[in-house]
Amino acid sequence: MLLKSPSFEAGDTIPTRYTCDGENVNPALELNDIPPDTRSLALIMDDPDAPAGTWTHWLVWDIAPGTNIAEKSEAGTMGINDFGTTNYQGPCPPIGIHRYFFRVYALDTTLELPTGSTREELLKAMEYHVIGSGELMGLYSHAS
């Protein structure tokens, strides 16, 4: 699967608009080469460089196959992130440059987890149902 964004190239800096220094809205994401047997998609955005370990910024599932995720949207059911909210929370590193991974998973089922489910609950529900995946990584640090 191919995951890309019209807002930034893989490996480039995520524009301020999509961070805590800007409007803090999700970037648009384009999904291509989705496996034909896909019933739903799930998305996890996280920061593996956070001081306390991997920090989850965004969880979404039961996204319809063939859906491109629009900027500032709710494309599916939202889970609770490590900020304690059920919406997108953009990059906001305490220090230095961090990597932010957007990962999309093609699933052979719909999950029907309730809004506010945790990352662990999402990963458990996805177990044995992932038939494809794609990844987009962007960088961000606070302006000095």
Side-chain angles (χ1 to χ4, degrees), residues 25-109:
V25 297
N26 68 274
L29 299 172
E30 297 173 354
L31 309 161
N32 296 296
D33 301 327
I34 297 169
D37 294 335
T38 301
R39 299 272 315 276
S40 71
L41 301 166
L43 173 73
I44 299 174
M45 178 204 170
D46 61 27
D47 169 8
D49 302 320
T54 300
W55 191 263
T56 301
H57 285 256
W58 196 26
L59 296 172
V60 190
W61 58 88
D62 287 345
I63 303 167
T67 299
N68 283 321
I69 298 170
E71 181 178 282
K72 196 177 180 178
S73 70
E74 292 185 21
T77 305
M78 308 281 266
I80 193 160
N81 58 37
D82 287 333
F83 295 92
T85 67
T86 55
N87 58 317
Y88 172 87
Q89 293 289 320
C92 198
I95 189 168
I97 299 172
H98 286 218
R99 297 168 297 152
Y100 295 87
F101 289 88
F102 295 81
R103 292 182 179 96
V104 66
Y105 301 91
L107 307 174
D108 64 3
T109 188

Side-chain angles (χ1 to χ4, degrees), residues 10-34:
D12 283 352
T13 299
I14 297 171
T16 302
R17 172 177 173 75
Y18 308 109
T19 74
C20 68
D21 294 322
E23 294 178 46
N24 209 17
V25 297
N26 68 274
L29 299 172
E30 297 173 354
L31 309 161
N32 296 296
D33 301 327
I34 297 169

Side-chain angles (χ1 to χ4, degrees), residues 4 9 29 33 64-66 68-69 73 110-111 113-114 118 127 134 142-143:
K4 62 182 185 173
E9 294 291 324
L29 299 172
D33 301 327
N68 283 321
I69 298 170
S73 70
T110 54
L111 299 179
L113 287 169
T118 65
E127 196 172 20
H142 288 292

